[in-house]
Amino acid sequence: MFTVSSSIPVNNSTNNEPFLNRNQVWTGLVMKAEDATRFVGAITECRVIEQDDRSLLREVVLYGEKMHERVNFFPEQMIVFEPLGGPTKGFIKNEIEEDEHGNLSVRFTFTFELRSGEQDKAAEKEFSSKMEKSYIEAVETTLSTIRQMVTAGKL
């Protein structure tokens, strides 16, 4: 089993990008959970199968493979994604963090174990490196998409 965690500042740009508040970031993360294709390049299909106020079950096509995920919402704080199939078991967390100065960041954490049960550290390291790179890109793309939606008045 391995864990990778990284935090990405929400409002660190010197470009003329809009300043995002917690609610805007939260709303964007929920939208990503409901339709990840707009936010994560590696997900080409996303369909919500069932949903209530605290969770949803979705079917995604990730890197060409169809899988199901349970997504749990902890309003304005965190979303937890749990793959229900595929090569790994574990979870991914998206947390909205705030430091003592009110600066927001999105922390992603993924904790996985290869379902094959192999204790192959080289395979885990290769998988975690690939996941970390793609997930940093996904968080950056998510924040960029949220900014575009704010700029366009859609959020």
Side-chain angles (χ1 to χ4, degrees):
M1 182 168 283
F2 57 91
T3 298
V4 176
S5 185
S6 186
S7 182
I8 298 177
V10 170
N11 296 303
N12 69 338
S13 176
T14 56
N15 299 338
N16 291 323
E17 296 177 331
F19 183 88
L20 300 179
N21 63 38
R22 179 180 291 271
N23 183 264
Q24 291 166 324
V25 174
W26 173 254
T27 301
L29 291 175
V30 170
M31 293 171 76
K32 181 180 101 174
E34 293 172 339
D35 182 7
T37 61
R38 296 170 41 191
F39 300 88
V40 182
I43 296 179
T44 55
E45 294 179 36
C46 183
R47 179 175 65 92
V48 174
I49 297 169
E50 59 185 48
Q51 184 171 6
D52 60 35
D53 291 341
R54 297 181 358 205
S55 68
L56 62 84
L57 175 65
R58 69 183 191 175
E59 180 180 83
V60 298
V61 176
L62 175 65
Y63 295 114
E65 292 193 35
K66 190 178 286 190
M67 59 186 281
H68 289 89
E69 290 181 319
R70 170 68 56 196
V71 182
N72 293 297
F73 301 109
F74 300 86
E76 302 272 331
Q77 298 295 320
M78 175 174 53
I79 298 178
V80 179
F81 302 82
E82 180 186 1
L84 302 177
T88 62
K89 56 184 173 181
F91 61 88
I92 300 169
K93 293 193 295 188
N94 288 185
E95 297 175 83
I96 302 173
E97 298 180 324
E98 187 171 344
D99 69 14
E100 64 275 2
H101 304 292
N103 298 312
L104 296 176
S105 60
V106 174
R107 173 172 299 281
F108 73 87
T109 302
F110 61 85
T111 300
F112 283 120
E113 178 178 342
L114 297 175
R115 284 193 193 273
S116 63
E118 297 174 22
Q119 295 301 315
D120 183 346
K121 295 298 179 191
E124 282 187 350
K125 184 173 181 162
E126 179 182 335
F127 182 82
S128 70
S129 293
K130 177 182 171 185
M131 285 290 295
E132 182 174 22
K133 182 177 186 273
S134 69
Y135 215 77
I136 287 172
E137 289 173 8
V139 172
E140 289 172 345
T141 300
T142 297
L143 291 172
S144 176
T145 301
I146 293 169
R147 285 188 195 97
Q148 291 170 7
M149 293 168 67
V150 168
T151 300
K154 297 180 179 178
L155 183 65

